Amino acid sequence: TLSSSSAASDVYKRQDFNDSSWQVGKLGAGYHVTSLYNVFIGENLNLASSLYKKASSLYVRSNFELPVGREIKAAKLRVRYDDGFVAYLNGVEIASKNMPQEVKWDSVANTDRVTSDKVSSSTGFVPAAMTTPTDIVLTAEQVANIVTGNNVLAIQVSNYAKNDRELLIQPE
């Protein structure tokens, strides 16, 4: 589920946040004005018309269940992103790339990710920085935040500027 509303700014990270009014789809989410990121963007989550030149940040939430009796000792977050993101597991920050130290609802990424190195894909040329996901290994303390039952991965992805031609978040 996703939103770009300032109303969700801090509470969207919490497990008990009601996201029933948010747009729903299979992640990734974002846009590229020439559609080069379409290979990474899930159905119904191409957001060019609602975000391009209108908002610098987007919130996404993904719920997952840990069955009773299961224990997780190690985990990693694999993510494709453009330009920056901060990720939370059940409300606790677990990762941040290219974001300011103090993240607000309208924060922009620290820099524009390098897009000059491109590789071919079935839909054209895609910035190479986006084709290989970033792996973030969670610490034991972060893994301990995964609970039996419902868990929430909440992410704020931000562009370098509102008029940036692309935005992408694709967590795995």
Side-chain angles (χ1 to χ4, degrees), residues 108-158:
V108 294
N110 293 331
T111 60
D112 192 7
R113 288 196 70 199
V114 177
T115 59
S116 59
D117 186 19
K118 300 177 188 251
V119 296
S120 179
S121 81
S122 61
T123 58
F125 288 94
V126 177
M130 292 354 121
T131 60
T132 303
T134 299
D135 286 336
I136 299 161
V137 177
L138 277 58
T139 66
E141 183 177 280
Q142 293 168 328
V143 171
N145 287 308
I146 301 173
V147 298
T148 299
N150 186 53
N151 292 272
V152 175
L153 175 65
I155 301 175
Q156 178 176 344
V157 60
S158 294

Side-chain angles (χ1 to χ4, degrees), residues 56-167:
S56 58
S57 287
L58 169 69
Y59 299 127
V60 298
R61 288 171 49 92
S62 182
N63 293 302
F64 64 95
E65 295 282 327
L66 179 63
V68 173
R70 295 277 315 265
E71 184 179 338
I72 295 181
K73 295 183 182 199
K76 71 178 172 183
L77 171 64
R78 173 172 281 177
V79 61
R80 286 183 179 88
Y81 67 97
D82 184 5
D83 285 314
F85 76 93
V86 59
Y88 304 88
L89 176 60
N90 295 329
V92 177
E93 184 176 326
I94 59 168
S96 182
K97 295 288 186 185
N98 199 27
M99 292 292 282
Q101 190 166 357
E102 185 178 335
V103 178
K104 299 178 182 174
W105 73 271
D106 60 349
S107 289
V108 294
N110 293 331
T111 60
D112 192 7
R113 288 196 70 199
V114 177
T115 59
S116 59
D117 186 19
K118 300 177 188 251
V119 296
S120 179
S121 81
S122 61
T123 58
F125 288 94
V126 177
M130 292 354 121
T131 60
T132 303
T134 299
D135 286 336
I136 299 161
V137 177
L138 277 58
T139 66
E141 183 177 280
Q142 293 168 328
V143 171
N145 287 308
I146 301 173
V147 298
T148 299
N150 186 53
N151 292 272
V152 175
L153 175 65
I155 301 175
Q156 178 176 344
V157 60
S158 294
N159 262 335
Y160 181 61
K162 282 184 185 179
N163 64 349
D164 200 344
R165 297 170 49 91
E166 66 274 327
L167 176 77

